[in-house]
Amino acid sequence: MRRGSGDREPAAGREAERVGLDAGAAGEPEREAPEEPREERAPGRPRAAREGDASAVPPPPAPPAPARARGLRLHREAAGKGRGCGRSSGNPADELRPPRPVTVDSSKARTSLGALKISIRQLRWKEFPFGRRLPCDIYWHGVSFHDNDIFSGQVNKFPGMTEMVRKITLSRAVRIMQNLFPEEYNFYPRSWILPDEFQLFVAQVRMVKDGDPSWKPTFIVKPDGGCQGDGIYLIKDPSDIRLAGTLQSRPAVVQEYICKPLLIDKLKFDIRLYVLLKSLDPLEIYIAKDGLSRFCTEPYQEPSPKNLHHVFMHLTNYSLNIHSGNFVHSDSTSTGSKRTFSSILCRLSSKGVDIKKVWSDIISLVIKTVIALTPELKVFYQSDIPAGRPGPTCFQILGFDILLMKNLKPILLEVNANPSMRIEHEQELSPGVFENVPSLVDEEVKVAVIRDTLRLMDPLKNKREKQSQPHKKPLAGKEGEGPSDCEPAGASDTNPNPEAHLPSICLKQVFPKYAKQFNYLRLVDRMANLFIRFLGIKGSMKLGPTGFRTFIRNCKLSSSSLSMAAVDILYIDITRRWNSMTLDQRDSGMCLQAFVEAFFYLAQRKFKMLPLHEQVASLVDLCEYHLSLLDERRLVCGRSSRAGGRAPGSSTPQGATRSAQQADGHPPCCTDSARKSSGPRRALS
Ligand code: ADP
């Protein structure tokens, strides 16, 4: 165990420095600091007000009746095309007709409803606040992918994201990457999972203390699935863990406490950044150019037995600090208990800090964290939206909570699947009595993030852009008619740019922009592709013993020193251990993390002398190579059977395909490259 993460060196920042990742927020105009209560829980407030009750938000002005009718007709035409809506019909007249407004189902938007309504109005799209019988282009869900059944369009949640960012799951996913790339993933504090790793935690702490009696670490215990600082406490020694509350009844993560955070005005603060995962495969990540900084309300001191329980000193949660008498509401972005991140950067810059480096380290942290999350997200995705079945495509706004250390190294605290998008903040009318009041600053930051996410996801963007080209005159309306209210932004000749009335996009693409610098980290992603290939049954998330055997056989991994009996034992051992640890009992079999562990074991056996990541990379290459050969053989086999020949044991071309399929227990792939052939069976986005 490394000692004292609070003293760790600045991030390796290798990639960041190499590519000189842009300093997105540097020099941005300052904005006022919005309030940021967490969506999930807010004690002491009535639920309706807390969750942005739809009735509390004024509806956007309705377009005049004729325009409404026309919008509906246009939409019906497109709605009939299901998922393909927005694509060209092939009819040149359609190309020239002004596109119908994009339709958004906001019926499940919950606390993000207010910001969503404003965004839709600014974009001149069409909102369906009570849902709709016909499909919508975009579904905006407040909580999770599973809010209801959607078969087309786009939804703002990925299946499995909520599970993936829980404290334990995130820690596990990052730990796999730390094992492979310890330098690159040293932005996440060393963590142990309770109760499973309690003994390991005790033993490792004792070992370091024995080696260095002057080491006086602090740890932070965080209940799994908790939020708003709920149930969190600091300890100086493993024996201080509250066994009854935590170990038995509530799984938790215990983590090295960062003792030396960067202070401003003597206060600890953290950063909330909004990150858009636009697509999973191909991976597309955007980061909002500005975020929020949330301040503690009691001057910081390094942890000591005397101050360990001072939550206003050690925890930056807004939901906690709002209850402190020292909480400062401010109309300025650069003062008070919540400020914009850009105002912090301006201040640091004025003190000579290289804020471009800070930003590029943060971008690097975000990309690496998403890379750690994507393998399992792909498994969830293929399970919830199996290939060949109708389903939506997905995107999601994530809230990254980041702490800057004194030496400016960014540390990942957690990722929120449902960052609060509320545009009100709380005001304490009398002690303990709170009221939500509109917050212009919240509106400015969060509306920009939602609106620009919608702009990036716009399914009719291409069509609208084509029409805005000056030489193409829209056919809509007879000569002499004025532009309709229903017409989308920029559809008229006078405004060639459909987004001319909107500010420039606040989301900056960081992946694939910097893919070259980070692709080498995506080893587990490639393992997940192998795993998914051998899952066999549609919708499954766990690999059965036959699937595992087929993987070993098809990738030619068994040998005289690794018999199939040994493979079976490996499968049983690892699977049993993981199933006893994980809460997910959805189906029996080997989960992805268990497969990764088995894969590491096989890689270590086969490529003994290399460092772990090279062992694993070599084994992934080998597997992909053998699978590509297999796929090529099948292709040839398929071609020759179509040309009259028949694969042995088959009497029809379909039979030949089926026998190939049966050979490895999954549908054949029609690709001819190793990388593609081992990839998931449909594009995930
Ligand atoms: P929650 O989801 O309950 O907000 P977090 O993981 O965000 O849990 O932790 C709450 C707060 O505790 C953070 O905002 C931060 O101020 C502090 N914190 C969390 N982990 C650490 C750590 N490893 N070192 C220092 N401070 C931490």
Side-chain angles (χ1 to χ4, degrees), residues 209-237:
K209 275 189 176 172
D210 288 350
D212 178 5
S214 69
W215 185 48
K216 301 266 181 282
T218 304
F219 303 96
I220 181 163
V221 184
K222 312 197 241 182
D224 189 42
C227 60
Q228 299 186 333
D230 182 31
I232 292 184
Y233 60 96
L234 305 188
I235 54 168
K236 293 296 276 179
D237 191 85

Side-chain angles (χ1 to χ4, degrees), residues 5 8 38 41 167 188-191 218-223 225-232 234 254-261 268-272 294 296 300 311 313-321 401-403 411-416:
S5 66
R8 275 193 279 214
R38 289 285 294 267
R41 226 169 298 153
K167 291 178 173 63
Y188 191 68
R190 171 99 193 206
S191 307
T218 304
F219 303 96
I220 181 163
V221 184
K222 312 197 241 182
C227 60
Q228 299 186 333
D230 182 31
I232 292 184
L234 305 188
V254 58
Q255 199 170 68
E256 282 178 287
Y257 185 74
I258 306 299
C259 296
K260 294 185 190 302
K268 177 176 171 179
F269 67 96
D270 75 355
I271 307 158
R272 158 65 54 87
R294 297 145 329 167
C296 279
Y300 185 77
V311 288
M313 176 187 287
H314 292 293
L315 307 188
T316 49
N317 300 79
Y318 165 86
S319 51
L320 292 173
N321 284 283
D401 290 350
I402 294 168
L403 189 72
I411 295 288
L412 176 68
L413 295 176
E414 68 163 346
V415 181
N416 292 273

